[in-house]
Amino acid sequence: MVKLCPQCGLHVHRSRAKNFREKLIRLFTRYKAYRCHECGWRGWIVDDVSRRFVDRRKQLRVILGVLTTVMLALLVIYVIRTR
Ligand SMILES: [Zn+2]
């Protein structure tokens, strides 16, 4: 499915997520980052042909990663405070 630039109307290309916040947006919403090579526009467009199953597995991986980080942080705080 071809996406068009809202500024100049030409084809846009998928843009990589630049940081963690953008990765979260990409994983938990149906928005994908796009960039226009003609005018330099960059923004988010709803991707209505996203494969839900693949997205679910990615979401699970991110949730597990965040949970692991939180658990480790809590463990560190616990160790520091009980010294
Ligand atoms: Zn453009």
Side-chain angles (χ1 to χ4, degrees):
M1 195 168 169
V2 172
K3 300 279 191 290
L4 298 174
C5 173
Q7 260 181 32
C8 67
L10 291 170
H11 293 180
V12 287
H13 305 266
R14 283 286 301 278
S15 178
R16 282 174 150 270
K18 280 196 288 193
N19 50 45
F20 188 63
R21 191 183 69 90
E22 293 200 355
K23 278 182 188 160
L24 285 181
I25 293 171
R26 199 185 57 190
L27 283 173
F28 291 99
T29 72
R30 294 169 75 184
Y31 284 88
K32 310 278 180 219
Y34 284 88
R35 179 187 288 282
C36 175
H37 289 183
E38 296 301 320
C39 69
W41 173 87
R42 188 176 190 276
W44 298 85
I45 300 175
V46 173
D47 186 3
D48 33 35
V49 287
S50 65
R51 284 157 291 177
R52 304 302 295 161
F53 181 67
V54 176
D55 286 352
R56 278 279 156 74
R57 287 180 61 186
K58 276 187 190 170
Q59 281 178 6
L60 207 68
R61 265 208 331 250
V62 169
I63 290 165
L64 283 175
V66 169
L67 278 178
T68 308
T69 309
V70 169
M71 293 295 274
L72 281 173
L74 286 174
L75 191 72
V76 168
I77 292 166
Y78 178 77
V79 168
I80 291 169
R81 291 190 66 175
T82 50
R83 241 191 239 167

